[in-house]
Amino acid sequence: MIYDIAWSRYRHAVQVFGGRKMYKVLSLIALGVATPAAAASQTVYDTSLYALNVGASPADPAYARTVDAGNGTVTYSTGARVSAPSAFDTWQQSDVGGLGVVGITKDFAHDGNGSLVFGGTNAGSKADLVYYLSSPELLDSFGGASYDWYRSSVSGTASYLVPSLRILLTNNGQFGSLIFEPIYQGTVVTDDQWTHSDYNFQSQVWNSNGKLTNPTGNYTNSLFDWAIANPNAVVVGFSTGSGSGWSNNFAGAVDNISWRFGEVNTSSFNFEVAGVPEPTQWALMIGGFGVVGAISRRRRRAVAAA
């Protein structure tokens, strides 16, 4: 159901942005070809994320839950999730519910003053950040991806669970994803430590909704195996997130997400909290301070000489 909703939201994004872009996207998916997007390396600030109501209490409809009338207990469902409005070429919250949270904060700062933080309190907690491509690419043109991830020692869920990185795909009209998790690469998870992971055709990945042709065993195939079994698969986006069935609480983070198609068409994203000048801005400011100081010194000398 989650992936059906995601596919519906992607189609809605195509319709919203309509016109030539709609024709381009539909043509790319129909013909199985893609026009490479311009290479991009950018900072994503907390202020650029949509103000999302994720449900502050059980009285809030956005707080995903179901009530067992038989014994009065409350369980946390995977439905009733909230997402930001559909958009292309920008990071946006997706499928946030059950007291799952996602945001750019200073809690686990990395490579700057912030990072993309995920949290949850129970098995129903879920939170993702998604990026839809306005120009889809064939899966076989995928050149690789990477991200940095962090798991806090306050987490009570299974020790191998950390935020995943997913390739979002269409395949013969169906929407699915290939999910990269460090545990299936043999990576040892160390709490309170940032770890870098690379996602390539040798990586062990899996699909959770059955919309892709399964090569053999779902958790034992490489991305290469999936690409061979699904020759018409087209990459329509990427996502990262945590939760959905993760018992107990979780706290962690992601930063420095990147991917490429071909050899040089690379996109990379660093997540930061707004309000702190970038290094280039610091350089300009320091240079400006130097100019002001020089002018001030010349004025003092001129006054003394008079």
Side-chain angles (χ1 to χ4, degrees), residues 98-109:
L99 285 190
V101 295
V102 54
I104 301 171
T105 77
K106 297 181 180 181
D107 293 87
F108 307 119

Side-chain angles (χ1 to χ4, degrees), residues 87-126:
F88 285 120
D89 301 329
T90 185
W91 287 100
Q92 59 194 99
Q93 304 99 315
S94 177
D95 295 324
V96 183
L99 285 190
V101 295
V102 54
I104 301 171
T105 77
K106 297 181 180 181
D107 293 87
F108 307 119
H110 177 60
D111 195 20
N113 77 331
S115 66
L116 179 60
V117 172
F118 295 96
T121 62
N122 55 79
S125 298
K126 177 64 176 171

Side-chain angles (χ1 to χ4, degrees), residues 282-295 297:
W282 279 115
L284 290 172
M285 290 169 63
I286 292 170
F289 294 153
V291 171
V292 171
I295 293 173
R297 286 192 296 273

